[in-house]
Amino acid sequence: MPELPEVETTRRGIEPHIAGQVISAIKVRQPQLRWPVPKQIQQLCGATIDAVKRRGKYILLETQQGTALIHLGMSGSLRITHPDIPPEKHDHVDLLVGDDIALRLRDPRRFGAVLWSVGGELHPLLSKLGPEPLGEAFDAVYLHEKSRKRVPAVKTFIMNAQVVVGVGNIYANEALFAAGIDPRRAAGAITLAEYQELVTHIKAVLARAIKQGGTTLRDFVREDGQSGYFQIELQVYGRSGETCHQCGLMLTHIRQTQRSTWFCAHCQR
DNA sequence: CTTGTCACCTGAGCGC
DNA sequence: TGCGCTCAGGTGACAA
């Protein structure tokens, strides 16, 4: 998916176009996303969008009638367009806002989701999420305590949304490199001092990516459909067969729980 | 309880 | 050109 920086970039991009506006209609062309788009979503028609928020990688459109939850999955994107512009092949859902704005969800792989929860109630998918990585509750003491006696690799651990939300494969790889930590080590074997480094770099790499407007990768596009981002300078992610920018030695590529991991066996201990 | 694997889906890239 | 294979930013559901 778009990772947290891409989701936050999207949220910031759509917010000024739809906040305070009335949802006039919801068109679902393809209801079969990760979960079927619930019919109750139509209850949002006529409601005013009070706020455009984000929790983890979910975008939340809050109204008095309930909240729309949008997840972009692996290949989703949201854009602001005009309702008259014909949808393309993978444009599955339109949220019509006012008379001339369409918030259009495109998602070729359909791993994304559009869900609904009644006003005031927390959707079950959000109830077990860990803290926001850029919030104060996410710190070294928290990670250290949470990880004691945990067997899984530290990379798997920080990608677990119940531990902390929003750390996807790119930024997990990058933060571990920046912190000098071998991604294969058991989460429970990482010291408090090492978690301090890791937390610092998770926050830094995410903040920097948000500042740059999200990493451009494949099908992530900004809310207006443009894609002219600065490519974030990736130190390890996707750099198979290349050398470490710090020491010059060849990077290592492995798989951990079905996900690609790149690291420098010399710089990361 | 924790941990690992599978599944969902389309499209791009590669070797033959 | 085309086929078959692998890979891709996520994450809930299930088995062990």
Side-chain angles (χ1 to χ4, degrees), chain A residues 195-207:
Chain A
Y195 272 126
Q196 184 58 66
E197 277 297 296
L198 186 54
V199 164
T200 298
H201 287 289
I202 287 173
K203 289 175 185 282
V205 71
L206 289 175

Side-chain angles (χ1 to χ4, degrees), chain A residues 72-95:
Chain A
L72 301 178
M74 288 278 258
S75 59
S77 60
L78 282 172
R79 71 197 64 204
I80 297 291
T81 187
H82 193 280
D84 292 344
I85 294 178
E88 295 184 28
K89 186 177 179 184
H90 299 295
D91 290 340
H92 305 312
V93 177
D94 274 5
L95 200 78

Side-chain angles (χ1 to χ4, degrees), chain A residues 4 7 14 26 48 50 56 63 72 113 116 136 143 161 180 210 212 258 269:
Chain A
L4 186 140
V7 177
I14 65 175
I26 301 174
T48 299
D50 298 322
T63 81
L72 301 178
W116 173 85
E136 285 186 10
L143 262 195
I210 290 172
Q212 295 194 3
Q258 324 282 78
R269 301 295 178 133

Side-chain angles (χ1 to χ4, degrees), chain A residues 29-151:
Chain A
R29 285 176 288 272
Q30 167 58 277
Q32 297 305 316
L33 304 182
R34 176 156 194 195
W35 296 281
V37 178
K39 296 218 167 63
Q40 298 97 309
I41 196 90
Q42 295 297 338
Q43 293 182 27
L44 296 178
C45 292
T48 299
I49 299 173
D50 298 322
V52 181
K53 296 185 179 175
R54 178 186 60 73
R55 177 72 175 101
K57 295 172 188 168
Y58 291 89
I59 289 175
L60 311 176
L61 308 183
E62 295 185 349
T63 81
Q64 295 294 313
Q65 328 297 325
T67 299
L69 287 77
I70 303 172
H71 197 288
L72 301 178
M74 288 278 258
S75 59
S77 60
L78 282 172
R79 71 197 64 204
I80 297 291
T81 187
H82 193 280
D84 292 344
I85 294 178
E88 295 184 28
K89 186 177 179 184
H90 299 295
D91 290 340
H92 305 312
V93 177
D94 274 5
L95 200 78
L96 302 179
V97 178
D99 293 329
D100 51 16
I101 292 174
L103 178 66
R104 184 164 285 173
L105 173 69
R106 175 175 298 182
D107 186 5
R109 292 178 72 180
R110 288 192 271 133
F111 286 176
V114 176
L115 299 169
W116 173 85
S117 68
V118 257
E121 286 188 21
L122 191 63
H123 194 281
L125 286 175
L126 304 181
S127 65
K128 291 181 182 173
L129 294 179
E132 289 288 327
L134 296 173
E136 285 186 10
F138 180 65
D139 62 16
V141 170
Y142 165 78
L143 262 195
H144 186 253
E145 283 181 6
K146 188 96 175 169
S147 64
R148 292 309 88 184
K149 298 186 178 175
R150 291 285 195 110
V151 185

